[in-house]
Amino acid sequence: MALILGKEYCKVDSNGRFKFPIALKRQLETDDGRFVIRRSVYAECLELWTYASFKEEAEKLHRMLNPYRREDRDMLRKLTDGNIIELDTNDRLLIPAEQKAVVAGAKEVVLQSTGKFIELWDRKAYDKMDSEGGDYAQRAEELLGRIDESVASNDK
């Protein structure tokens, strides 16, 4: 799976299509132009995965979760609930009807990579989330500041 880096702003047409940025397209391991789009369970955005990376993620989930346990099955259902979408001949993606509600009425969307997949945000919602994110320096120290300590103790 390729590491995806970057943030791009895209105009959305009246049909819910946007041109997929070439800077992101060049980084993706997709030769067939297929993606999976799903609603995020963490934020009011969509997640855009290459088909191959989503398939890998779904297979990992199936190894980790037991479909014969209701709680696990519910989680599998939620995390694999997506639509396959494809780039058209003009490198545009169409947001499916059931996911349009997340970016309803958006004239512009933000594509923000997370390394593994791309978050697709309504521009206004993204700007609000980004400005209200809090003190990232403090959160990074709290979450990541002890990584070196745990790695050092595991090396002994």
Side-chain angles (χ1 to χ4, degrees):
M1 180 181 335
L3 177 66
I4 307 167
L5 300 173
K7 176 169 60 174
E8 299 285 338
Y9 298 85
C10 304
K11 300 287 184 197
V12 179
D13 70 17
S14 59
N15 295 320
R17 294 177 302 201
F18 64 93
K19 184 154 177 80
F20 192 73
I22 192 73
L24 293 174
K25 185 179 177 189
R26 287 184 179 145
Q27 298 177 57
L28 301 178
E29 296 174 344
T30 179
D31 52 2
D32 61 3
R34 291 187 303 165
F35 294 87
V36 173
I37 190 167
R38 73 174 182 189
R39 189 176 189 138
S40 174
V41 295
Y42 299 106
E44 195 59 27
C45 68
L46 299 171
E47 296 174 355
L48 187 63
W49 299 70
T50 64
Y51 179 81
S53 61
F54 190 82
K55 182 179 175 203
E56 183 181 309
E57 186 74 9
E59 288 168 351
K60 183 172 90 175
L61 288 169
H62 279 275
R63 286 190 303 272
M64 294 170 53
L65 299 170
N66 181 348
Y68 296 102
R69 289 186 62 229
R70 181 182 314 271
E71 191 174 80
D72 288 4
R73 188 175 60 248
D74 291 347
M75 186 58 64
L76 277 169
R77 185 181 305 116
K78 185 66 176 170
L79 294 176
T80 59
D81 180 19
N83 293 80
I84 297 173
I85 58 175
E86 297 184 42
L87 289 171
D88 68 12
T89 55
N90 294 315
D91 284 341
R92 293 177 303 189
L93 288 173
L94 174 66
I95 301 168
E98 55 270 16
Q99 284 131 348
K100 277 185 187 172
V102 176
V103 292
K107 303 280 190 242
E108 188 174 24
V109 292
V110 179
L111 301 180
Q112 172 66 61
S113 70
T114 66
K116 231 175 152 177
F117 58 88
I118 300 167
E119 291 180 336
L120 191 152
W121 289 82
D122 171 298
R123 170 75 187 263
K124 291 176 185 171
Y126 179 85
D127 290 344
K128 181 179 180 197
M129 175 278 306
D130 196 39
S131 68
E132 294 175 354
D135 186 350
Y136 286 105
Q138 180 181 346
R139 288 170 58 195
E141 183 177 349
E142 290 169 2
L143 294 170
L144 305 171
R146 33 184 197 276
I147 288 176
D148 288 338
E149 296 166 7
S150 64
V151 170
S153 65
N154 287 338
D155 288 341
K156 291 179 182 179

